[in-house]
Amino acid sequence: MMKPTTLVAIVLSLLVSSIAMAENVLPQYAHDKSLGVASCSSSLCHGSIETWKDSNVLQNEYVTWIRTDKHSRAYAVLLNDRSKDIAKKLGLKEPAHKSALCLDCHAHNPAPAQHGEKFTISDGVSCEACHGAGERWIKSHVELKATHAGNLEKGLYPTENDVARVQLCLSCHLGTQKKFVTHRIMAAGHPRMSFELDTFTQIGPAHFRIDEDWHKRKGSWDGVRAWAIGQAVYSQELLGLLLGPRGRDGLFPELVLFDCHSCHHNMSDKRNTAARVGAGPGIVRINDATFLMLRQIAKRIDVKEAAELAAAVSAMHHAIADGNDGLQKARIVQDSITKLIPKISAHRFSADDLRNIMIGLIDEGLDGQYGDYQGAEQAVMAVQSVADFMGRSGMLRTVTLRADLTRLLALVANDEKYRSASFEQALRALKSSIAKGSVK
Ligand code: HEC
Ligand code: HEC
Ligand code: HEC
Ligand code: HEC
């Protein structure tokens, strides 16, 4: 039986998640003052070396962040030679570490009026860049009577909510209308960016522990659901960028929104694009990696909507290439994903769902849908997340997959060395290991 308090907590968390479905103000644009990492990092607060036994959070979050989380070094990156070179090639008036163009993502960069006493830009992607400006919650969040809902009201950002969390991550890992890495910035030397919520949460590394107590305070956490929502919101945001003012660069569409490797590869490297959904010889496709994943996810949620979505995505690719109202078609895809997101949020992924998603991903690959690198890269992160979950829920002896996963990872480690034929071979091996390792 569920305890009444647990039930109340779940109802509350559902309320909180429906609130979070509305647009959340990203921490950078909050009206409260940001207080700086020095306000969180004392050894009596979140800067303990050891985790505390009698606290519901770890208390060593600062130590994890400063030692191993790349976000703590995001500002320092702007001082290195690569950044200097990028700034020079772009002809920026200020150096990278003074330019808002770079600081908006490589640091927590609220307007000067919102800088508290200990705020310093060199903190990089600081606690408040994700958790929200601390002015109103810093004191009260440690009081015994503090509740999560109360903290949210005072400006804490709802990082526990999948949709709100991935919107936050993507504001820097994909970009928004306000901050963005254009194809020009990439061509000046910025690395290509990719993102997958579940994988990136784990390699962060996580400075939090999802346990009974977390569930009680913050609701449910499900890695596969996070992966699925991450794919849907990514697709949504990508289309939003295409449809907004960022979607153009002179006569051309903004190339960064398209599949890099549909242009960047050797001419002798034939990719048989004609076999692929929404493609044809010589067509430049919008980066469809997350749409490919979404196809598997949608099938588990609603078969009819999945078919509609697939048709809409295919029509969009063709319309963009043919110049027939591609943007109108992109809007139709957007609407279809908007309907899907709350359904994914409410879905409980069963063992059957996981197995079918896994096989679906592999079969798409064998059908030649990951001919270009970015689809393959997303597929590997997806396969890893789903395999991990299948292992933990006892559906699969994970050891049996370790060699296959390592091989897949190696095949996508370098986009310039990616070969779809070897990738398909590795998928075939994975499929047979799954058949052997399945615990029925
Ligand atoms: C929209 C957000 C965004 C903007 C704007 C942005 N970056 Fe980045 N940058 C990122 C992210 C995210 C990464 C990490 C990518 C990854 O590893 O997946 C990154 C990575 C980098 C790296 C490689 C870091 C490393 O550890 O090797 C450099 C160098 C860099 N950025 C410099 C710049 C410079 C210079 C500017 C301004 C001209 C800039 N960035 C603007 C988000 C951004
Ligand atoms: C890149 C974004 C990001 C940064 C930077 C970040 N966090 Fe977090 N933090 C998260 C996410 C995501 C969670 C997990 C979801 C949740 O519990 O709300 C989390 C959870 C937490 C939790 C709560 C764990 C629980 O059980 O409720 C604490 C405490 C915390 N972070 C402290 C910090 C501190 C202190 C810093 C700075 C040293 C920091 N975080 C920096 C994203 C971030
Ligand atoms: C304010 C901008 C910003 C936000 C918000 C943000 N990131 Fe980042 N993230 C960056 C930048 C910039 C880098 C690159 C830092 C570097 O290379 O030194 C980065 C790097 C990373 C890396 C390391 C990637 C690698 O190649 O090793 C991971 C993992 C990551 N972020 C996960 C997340 C997750 C998960 C979230 C959301 C909870 C998030 N980030 C939110 C800006 C941001
Ligand atoms: C529609 C085709 C197209 C797409 C899609 C595309 N690019 Fe490009 N890219 C170009 C062209 C054209 C140039 C300019 C080539 C030149 O200067 O010789 C270029 C230049 C570059 C350069 C500089 C190369 C140099 O010689 O200095 C980089 C880096 C780059 N692109 C990265 C990317 C990334 C990353 C993506 C995907 C996010 C991408 N491109 C998507 C066509 C494309």
Side-chain angles (χ1 to χ4, degrees):
M1 263 304 281
M2 202 178 267
K3 277 190 279 178
T5 45
T6 319
L7 193 64
V8 170
I10 290 174
V11 171
L12 271 178
S13 77
L14 284 177
L15 271 176
V16 170
S17 23
S18 58
I19 293 167
M21 272 306 290
E23 273 308 298
N24 287 289
V25 177
L26 291 170
Q28 185 181 353
Y29 311 115
H31 293 301
D32 296 325
K33 280 199 165 56
S34 286
L35 309 175
V37 171
S39 310
C40 322
S41 62
S42 136
S43 60
L44 296 174
C45 301
H46 296 291
S48 169
I49 302 286
E50 304 278 335
T51 59
W52 292 10
K53 282 195 193 64
D54 51 357
S55 165
N56 40 28
V57 308
L58 298 173
Q59 306 292 158
N60 66 348
E61 296 84 2
Y62 168 75
V63 178
T64 306
W65 176 82
I66 196 78
R67 286 191 184 160
T68 41
D69 189 325
K70 280 197 176 171
H71 292 119
S72 65
R73 276 163 246 164
Y75 173 85
V77 159
L78 299 181
L79 296 162
N80 72 18
D81 289 345
R82 185 173 185 179
S83 291
K84 282 186 190 139
D85 193 46
I86 295 173
K88 191 165 150 230
K89 286 192 174 133
L90 291 171
L92 298 185
K93 290 199 189 70
E94 287 169 304
H97 67 283
K98 296 233 164 98
S99 170
L101 179 66
C102 313
L103 289 172
D104 277 349
C105 294
H106 284 261
H108 178 44
N109 192 25
Q114 272 80 46
H115 292 187
E117 226 170 87
K118 293 182 189 163
F119 175 88
T120 137
I121 194 81
S122 61
D123 279 345
V125 180
S126 61
C127 317
E128 287 166 298
C130 291
H131 292 295
E135 184 177 8
R136 284 182 297 137
W137 55 260
I138 187 97
K139 284 217 176 75
S140 58
H141 84 293
V142 293
E143 288 168 5
L144 274 177
K145 61 178 198 304
T147 61
H148 186 55
N151 295 332
L152 293 177
E153 246 166 56
K154 294 196 177 99
L156 190 81
Y157 189 84
T159 42
E160 77 290 347
N161 177 280
D162 293 328
V163 174
R165 183 168 74 256
V166 74
Q167 281 170 340
L168 168 71
C169 310
L170 291 178
S171 69
C172 297
H173 284 268
L174 168 65
T176 64
Q177 300 291 349
K178 290 189 186 159
K179 45 180 176 176
F180 191 52
V181 179
T182 59
H183 183 257
R184 293 184 193 211
I185 301 180
M186 297 243 168
H190 197 281
R192 186 182 64 86
M193 299 203 281
S194 65
F195 190 78
E196 192 277 287
L197 184 60
D198 185 47
T199 306
F200 273 57
T201 300
Q202 295 184 32
I203 61 172
H207 52 270
F208 51 89
R209 188 171 45 208
I210 305 298
D211 51 17
E212 220 7 63
D213 171 71
W214 191 96
H215 290 300
K216 222 185 264 168
R217 289 178 291 118
K218 294 183 164 173
S220 72
W221 177 284
D222 171 345
V224 173
R225 189 187 60 199
W227 164 73
I229 289 177
Q231 299 300 318
V233 176
Y234 192 106
S235 307
Q236 192 75 322
E237 302 278 321
L238 185 78
L239 294 174
L241 287 165
L242 181 76
L243 289 165
R246 290 287 188 185
R248 295 273 152 292
D249 183 20
L251 279 181
F252 293 95
E254 170 50 60
L255 299 185
V256 108
L257 303 174
F258 287 73
D259 191 328
C260 315
H261 306 88
S262 59
C263 294
H264 291 284
H265 69 82
N266 293 331
M267 283 188 237
S268 61
D269 176 17
K270 299 283 182 247
R271 294 170 176 222
N272 188 23
T273 41
R276 302 228 292 281
V277 174
I283 288 183
V284 182
R285 281 178 333 275
I286 185 167
N287 176 9
D288 64 350
T290 55
F291 295 98
L292 287 170
M293 304 299 112
L294 204 51
R295 206 146 76 194
Q296 299 308 321
I297 297 159
K299 277 189 202 156
R300 309 314 308 163
I301 310 283
D302 187 324
V303 182
K304 192 166 148 271
E305 274 181 35
E308 277 169 23
L309 178 64
V313 170
S314 178
M316 172 182 73
H317 282 309
H318 284 292
I320 289 176
D322 298 342
N324 297 332
D325 227 1
L327 298 184
Q328 177 53 26
K329 292 284 191 291
R331 263 183 215 107
I332 297 174
V333 175
Q334 242 191 349
D335 290 344
S336 162
I337 300 175
T338 305
K339 278 197 291 183
L340 199 61
I341 290 174
K343 292 190 185 169
I344 303 177
S345 294
H347 191 75
R348 280 183 177 271
F349 286 86
S350 65
D352 210 34
D353 286 334
L354 296 180
R355 196 171 287 118
N356 279 297
I357 288 175
M358 181 67 121
I359 297 302
L361 288 167
I362 296 173
D363 287 345
E364 289 261 288
L366 296 178
D367 185 38
Q369 302 303 324
Y370 309 141
D372 276 325
Y373 173 79
Q374 281 168 299
E377 183 189 37
Q378 276 299 331
V380 172
M381 291 193 273
V383 161
Q384 260 193 321
S385 292
V386 178
D388 181 46
F389 212 75
M390 287 170 85
R392 274 187 284 136
S393 47
M395 296 164 60
L396 202 64
R397 290 181 286 271
T398 30
V399 265
T400 49
L401 297 191
R402 204 161 286 157
D404 296 294
L405 292 176
T406 309
R407 184 163 161 218
L408 282 170
L409 271 175
L411 289 170
V412 296
N414 180 342
D415 59 338
E416 290 174 18
K417 300 217 169 101
Y418 175 71
R419 291 292 171 271
S420 58
S422 337
F423 191 72
E424 283 166 27
Q425 232 170 34
L427 284 179
R428 215 164 277 124
L430 174 70
K431 193 171 179 178
S432 86
S433 303
I434 290 175
K436 280 189 224 136
S438 285
V439 182
K440 277 258 169 161

